[in-house]
Amino acid sequence: MAEPFMEVRGATRRFGGLLAVNDVSFAVRENEILSVIGPNGAGKSTLFKLISSFLRPTRGEVLLRGKRVSGLSPDAAAKRGVVRTFQETTVFRGMSVRENVIIAHHLRARAGLFGFFINSKKAAGDQRAFGKSADAILEFLNLAEVKNELANNLPHGHLRALGVAIGLAVNPQVLLLDEPFAGMNQDETARAVQMVKQVRERGVTVLVVEHDMQAVMSVSDRIVVLNFGEKIAEGAPQEIQNDERVIEAYLGREDDALGV
């Protein structure tokens, strides 16, 4: 039997007396979009940090193609193919869109830092390749028309798309998107949902943490639900909408919080 593409095994993280994530396990299929949802304080962001190696688990592990990635440095995890974007997109706002994406490629550089300092032949080759790749990514995400704009001048939706472009520059196998639809209006959300689906069509497996339930239900192949740090449900969107444990966990929120 083949190993799962990605596997979260008994992921647990304790902060002093607080058990933020407690024995969470699930598998991620290659080339799917899996969303992690739950009420505020459910442990979603902590779980994402464990998967992307921004936090070390107290117990448990995360495996990609059977090899452990939890406990590595975030850079080492990214080189293995696990790349995270952030809720507040981290960009160089004084640089152009294209320059931001080119810089993000440097995790893949063949030349060392000194090579770039003296502009060695290998470094020059890297720069040409990175520029070509950046242009392709920007075209793919419909950002080519703004590639020379300063990042600081971008509207909210384009800024989020730039965050995805920066993630794709690292050539991920798994891209973790932290609230990619936050702060968007209905039209922006629809475009962002389509963008996430296009990323999957590019051959990238996508994990999403998100509060916008309508977007989650439309973009996800499967959903994992957390409450008080524990997994309470897992399944297809329709299954999650009808799960009594999930409905109970969301009591007190708006009636249409789960799109039902």
Side-chain angles (χ1 to χ4, degrees):
M1 184 176 175
E3 291 176 329
F5 172 68
M6 174 176 261
E7 196 170 5
V8 178
R9 292 182 179 173
T12 301
R13 176 68 193 202
R14 184 182 293 276
F15 297 97
L18 173 65
L19 197 56
V21 173
N22 184 20
D23 196 27
V24 172
S25 298
F26 58 90
V28 183
R29 300 164 189 159
E30 188 170 12
N31 206 34
E32 79 169 335
I33 300 172
L34 184 143
S35 293
V36 179
I37 68 170
N40 289 331
K44 304 182 299 295
S45 294
T46 300
L47 179 63
F48 246 40
K49 290 175 183 177
L50 294 175
I51 294 172
S52 56
S53 287
F54 280 80
L55 280 176
R56 291 179 179 269
T58 305
R59 292 193 309 276
E61 60 184 355
V62 179
L63 305 174
L64 178 65
R65 298 188 185 276
K67 296 183 178 180
R68 184 170 178 154
V69 292
S70 52
L72 300 175
S73 69
D75 284 356
K79 287 180 179 178
R80 292 273 186 94
V82 182
V83 177
R84 178 189 174 199
T85 67
F86 291 86
Q87 186 175 347
E88 293 300 325
T89 307
T90 304
V91 300
F92 294 103
R93 291 177 177 262
M95 291 185 175
S96 72
V97 168
R98 185 174 186 267
E99 286 169 337
N100 268 278
V101 181
I102 288 174
I103 286 172
H105 281 78
H106 279 73
L107 198 63
R108 298 160 53 184
R110 297 172 304 137
L113 184 62
F114 183 69
F116 282 98
F117 181 73
I118 65 171
N119 195 28
S120 69
K121 186 175 180 180
K122 189 178 287 187
D126 279 342
Q127 286 293 88
R128 286 192 297 272
F130 296 164
K132 186 175 180 180
S133 175
D135 288 336
I137 290 170
L138 293 172
E139 184 72 33
F140 171 72
L141 293 176
N142 298 314
L143 290 173
E145 291 184 359
V146 297
K147 68 180 182 180
N148 295 319
E149 281 283 342
L150 291 181
N152 197 47
N153 296 335
L154 294 181
H156 183 70
H158 279 160
L159 197 59
R160 287 302 174 94
L162 176 56
V164 173
I166 288 169
L168 290 178
V170 188
N171 197 28
Q173 295 185 56
V174 181
L175 187 63
L176 287 77
L177 304 178
D178 190 354
E179 300 203 16
F181 314 118
M184 292 186 177
N185 61 36
Q186 193 169 2
D187 289 343
E188 289 172 331
T189 299
R191 287 194 293 270
V193 164
Q194 192 57 39
M195 177 183 67
V196 173
K197 291 179 177 180
Q198 288 174 323
V199 169
R200 187 259 298 279
E201 290 167 7
R202 190 182 172 95
V204 178
T205 301
V206 182
L207 271 65
V208 177
V209 160
E210 181 56 55
H211 285 288
D212 185 330
M213 288 302 101
Q214 288 189 340
V216 165
M217 294 299 165
S218 65
V219 80
S220 307
D221 297 311
R222 288 189 304 127
I223 299 170
V224 169
V225 187
L226 300 184
N227 194 30
F228 296 113
E230 298 184 353
K231 187 180 84 170
I232 62 168
E234 177 182 349
Q238 191 63 43
E239 294 175 289
I240 296 303
Q241 284 180 315
N242 297 322
D243 191 300
E244 288 298 325
R245 294 165 299 176
V246 178
I247 294 170
E248 184 179 350
Y250 277 87
L251 283 177
R253 306 189 71 181
E254 294 181 11
D255 292 342
D256 63 349
L258 286 172
V260 297

